[in-house]
Amino acid sequence: RGGGGSLRKMSSTIKIEFPGAFVGHRCETPVAEAETNKDELMEYFRLMYTMRRMEITCDNEYKARNIRGFCHLYDGQEAIGMGIHSGLSLEDSWITSYRCHCIKLARGGTVESILAELMGKATGATGGKGGSMHFYSKKNNFFGGQGIVGAQVPVGAGLAFANKYKTPPGQPMPVAIACYGDGAANQGQIWESANMAALWKLPMLFGIENNQYGMGTSISRSSSNNEYYTMGNMIPGLKIDGMNVLSVREGVKFAKNFAATGNGPMYLEFSTYRYHGHSMSDPGTTYRNRDEISNVRATRDPIEHIKKLILDYTAVKDDELKAIEKDIRAEVAAACDRAKSAQPPPLSELTKYVYLDENCKDVQPPYIRFATIDASVGY
């Protein structure tokens, strides 16, 4: 046994068992095992470690005032982003909260474009206009990045409705997943979205990333029901170990198969933990102590978990993993330097993509008010 599961090798395939990773509500639970291989485990490790280094870089650059405004970091929760990405396809729609840097990376972003966006540079993923909370990729069906708590969930239900509407009857549908935190879980708009999704049997997954604290309030103080996977009432739910990338992947695959075949929505609760505070303005130590954070790092860290699987059940050595970590740190540092050296968007970009003509082409508005009359347009 190692890394929280028992394995047995089958030629190039490794079978991993992780008993206790799932708890079901009104549904059977998936088999608590996964098949994988060395290459796949290494791919997960590389991307998850890149996520971690990128978020640590965001922390450093925020403190250096190269990144300003709102900034919510994902370190500690990487197994969820990686696992959802692996359990879905790019045909499936994904929308999430403002804690979205790593989701953009998983869905085809680059470290440089993400950091440049956070710094307000023209080379950023959305041209320096969106910032930390508003990443997006229509090509890869990633719909953000939402700045308002919980607002992504009804939009996610709309994405699920569109996926059902566009799929011929009898065929498997692409699903939509809307991820949100435990702090948003009791909002009315989520209950209404769940009711519609159930009534219309939409291919919708409600993904609660339960990192134990809504801002600075623990789940025991903020919710009368701490079993978030049961909150759909009549909707089936699944609680998943959110620190194990393989249990996340298998849980998401199970839920996708359920929803895509016309059975309606499913609730997914990912049990996880964030190492930073809620945002960069929150030190994260006034409502929890450092021993609690250190204990999670020592016993449940998602990257240490995947590393242990690789070391215990493949021929990869610790020195090789350390060399990869060193390379990734250098790559992220170089991407950060390029992002910092880029230019901000010109002032002319400020009023683009506000008005469209009848052919959906960008047109400049006739009147634009700036700080002074002389600088304004059309006055």
Side-chain angles (χ1 to χ4, degrees), residues 17-224:
E17 298 174 357
F18 29 83
F22 304 120
V23 181
H25 166 69
R26 301 183 68 88
C27 69
E28 299 294 325
T29 59
V31 177
E33 65 180 33
E35 289 190 354
T36 185
N37 55 58
K38 171 191 166 184
D39 291 342
E40 192 171 67
L41 292 174
M42 292 296 286
E43 175 191 350
Y44 294 168
F45 166 66
R46 286 190 180 94
L47 185 52
M48 289 169 65
Y49 190 74
T50 302
M51 291 176 176
R52 176 72 57 88
R53 292 307 307 178
M54 183 179 74
E55 295 294 70
I56 290 172
T57 300
C58 290
D59 174 81
N60 293 335
E61 295 302 321
Y62 195 96
K63 290 171 180 174
R65 299 191 176 184
N66 293 318
I67 296 172
R68 296 171 182 258
F70 294 103
C71 187
H72 306 80
L73 303 182
Y74 203 64
D75 50 321
Q77 301 182 210
E78 297 93 345
I80 300 175
M82 184 75 253
I84 292 175
H85 176 65
S86 302
L88 301 181
S89 77
L90 293 182
E91 298 301 312
D92 299 310
S93 307
W94 193 349
I95 191 167
T96 190
S97 70
Y98 37 72
R99 204 178 301 277
C100 62
H101 311 159
C102 294
I103 311 308
K104 172 62 177 177
L105 187 65
R107 280 258 160 151
T110 66
V111 173
E112 181 180 347
S113 69
I114 292 167
L115 293 177
E117 185 61 37
L118 289 166
M119 296 176 187
K121 300 302 179 71
T123 54
T126 54
K129 295 182 175 183
S132 173
M133 301 191 289
H134 300 290
F135 289 97
Y136 180 86
S137 174
K138 182 179 179 181
K139 174 185 175 184
N140 291 331
N141 286 309
F142 174 51
F143 295 90
Q146 294 282 318
I148 304 300
V149 176
Q152 67 273 22
V153 181
V155 180
L159 293 169
F161 181 90
N163 289 345
K164 180 175 183 177
Y165 187 82
K166 293 187 290 186
T167 302
Q171 293 188 14
M173 298 171 281
V175 303
I177 186 167
C179 291
Y180 54 100
D182 48 276
N186 284 291
Q187 285 196 2
Q189 59 185 332
I190 295 176
W191 299 108
E192 293 178 38
S193 300
N195 185 55
M196 287 189 287
L199 284 172
W200 300 337
K201 292 191 178 299
L202 301 183
M204 172 71 174
L205 306 180
F206 294 83
I208 304 106
E209 298 189 57
N210 178 8
N211 60 24
Q212 315 306 315
Y213 296 94
M215 298 187 72
T217 306
S218 67
I219 59 174
S220 62
R221 295 178 57 223
S222 65
S223 181
S224 62

